[in-house]
């Protein structure tokens, strides 16, 4: 079956612009996670969805970051007024349920100029 | 809170063995191991739940010492394809799978 997919694979934007990053989880996976990975670092947790609701958004760095999963499948991570420090690879992962294996997508490489 | 991995980097000749350690200062519920190649997504290797179990498949195995809050990944008879960065992801609360990833261990296997 298909794995986790993310679009776009690369995004270049200017400081202050708004961006949306999309994640398509593995079909049937109820849990969805967003992570951010900077160069040379491990993934850093941002937000976790169980179904449609955000079960834990404690990793979102500030109120410029927001994520939704309206139908319990596809999720969108939204970043307002982007800053150069937002440049990173944004990874999405999904799992069949809680405390199960998380399968990662290829990531979206965001570059804020 | 971030688990510490050691060593930071290791270079092996094909066929040699390696051990990568992951230590946490917090009580852990589970440890997840991933391998990531440059420019690619992390690939799941295995998950260990508290209880000190050991798991393995092929020539890669891992253990979890609940008392020490430490997990070790064992790579035996390394292959070129083992090259990459290894991360442990730790989960501290049951039913709340927010993984906190370690600092990473870069492994290079040469012919």
């Amino acid at each position: 079956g298909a794995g986790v997919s993310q679009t776009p694979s690369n995004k270049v934007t200017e400081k202050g612009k708004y961006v949306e990053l999309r994640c398509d989880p593995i079909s049937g996976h109820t849990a969805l996670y967003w992570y951010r990975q900077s160069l040379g670092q491990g993934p850093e947790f941002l937000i976790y969805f169980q179904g449609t609701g955000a079960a834990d958004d404690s990793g979102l760095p500030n109120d410029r970051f927001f994520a939704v999963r309206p139908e319990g499948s596809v999720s969108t991570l939204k970043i307002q007024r982007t800053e150069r420090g937002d440049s990173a690879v944004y990874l999405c992962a999904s799992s069949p349920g809680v405390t199960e294996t998380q399968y990662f997508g290829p990531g979206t490489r965001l570059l804020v100029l | 809170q971030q688990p510490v991995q050691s060593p930071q980097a290791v270079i092996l000749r094909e066929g040699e063995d390696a051990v990568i350690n992951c230590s946490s200062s917090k009580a852990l519920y589970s440890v997840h191991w991933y391998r990531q190649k440059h420019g690619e997504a992390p690939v799941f290797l295995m998950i260990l739940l508290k209880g000190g179990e050991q798991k393995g498949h092929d020539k890669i195995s891992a253990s979890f010492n609940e008392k020490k809050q430490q997990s070790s990944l064992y790579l035996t008879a390394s292959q070129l394809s083992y090259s990459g960065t290894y991360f442990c992801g730790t989960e501290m609360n049951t039913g709340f799978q927010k993984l906190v990833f370690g600092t990473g261990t870069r492994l290079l296997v040469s012919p």
Side-chain angles (χ1 to χ4, degrees), chain A residues 13-32:
Chain A
T13 190
E14 294 179 344
K15 180 173 176 291
K17 298 290 187 181
Y18 169 82
V19 296
E20 288 190 353
L21 312 179
R22 176 188 168 106
C23 172
D24 264 288
I26 294 172
S27 178
H29 282 194
T30 59
L32 185 147

Side-chain angles (χ1 to χ4, degrees), chain B residues 11-18 75-79 82 109:
Chain B
I11 300 175
L12 298 175
R13 287 286 180 95
E14 198 172 7
E16 292 182 337
D17 302 339
L75 308 171
T76 59
S78 59
Q79 305 168 18
Y82 286 7
V109 180

Side-chain angles (χ1 to χ4, degrees), chain A residues 37 89 91 104-107 109, chain B residues 35-43:
Chain A
Q37 187 173 28
V89 176
L91 294 166
F104 281 84
R109 286 156 186 77
Chain B
R35 176 173 59 216
Q36 186 176 30
K37 294 184 182 286
H38 183 68
E40 298 181 9
V43 174

Side-chain angles (χ1 to χ4, degrees), chain B residues 41-55:
Chain B
V43 174
F44 172 77
L45 295 176
M46 64 189 71
I47 178 173
L48 299 105
L49 304 179
K50 69 177 181 180
E53 65 176 291
Q54 184 154 348
K55 279 192 173 182

